[in-house]
Amino acid sequence: IQYALNPHSKQYCIIEVNARLSRSSALASKATGYPLAFVAAKLALGKRLSDVRNSITKETTACFEPSLDYLVVKVPRWDLKKFQRVDNKLGSAMKSVGEVMAIGRNFEEAIQKAIRMVNDNYVDGFVSGVVPYTEEEMRNPTNNRMLAIASGFAQGLTVDQIHDLSKVDRWFLYKLK
């Protein structure tokens, strides 16, 4: 289940429900070595989580896995240049052609890896100068917004200035700065 949260009112709504394991689940399972599909199947058959053994360690139960010494960032992959008449403004329409998943010990490490992967290595992470900062980009995001934020920080803009225009949560902006 995916939720959308209004950070000002704390009101939330369900935006997607999938009664299956998603591609993200398969990616997470492969990256962590934790057998999500196996555990989900056992639970669907009526087993309790505390009764499901880890198929790798054969010692611990599914309740104790995986260890949480890492963080995963998932970033949509855009390939809008392939399509001549596609507007690169982002909204509720599905425009991504996939996603990348990066794992790190903290958010800063994981987001740097994800940005490098999603941009086919033509960018060395969260760097300025690749995409110019504009107020238009902050108000109406495109697939280039992340790198435009990097340019804004390089020009001396503050977290609050970028937040006021973009509405990107300050926690993420502080971590990116």
Side-chain angles (χ1 to χ4, degrees), residues 13 23 27 45 76 83 88-89 106-109 152 160 162 167 177:
C13 63
R23 291 177 305 184
L27 279 172
L45 292 171
F83 308 105
N88 71 340
K89 296 267 188 290
N106 54 45
F107 175 76
E108 295 88 342
E109 179 185 344
D160 285 334
I162 292 177
K167 305 304 182 222
K177 191 168 182 169

Side-chain angles (χ1 to χ4, degrees), residues 81-98:
K81 292 178 187 142
K82 283 186 176 180
F83 308 105
Q84 294 176 351
R85 294 185 300 266
V86 173
D87 184 8
N88 71 340
K89 296 267 188 290
L90 303 180
S92 60
M94 171 66 172
K95 292 184 180 180
S96 79
V97 295

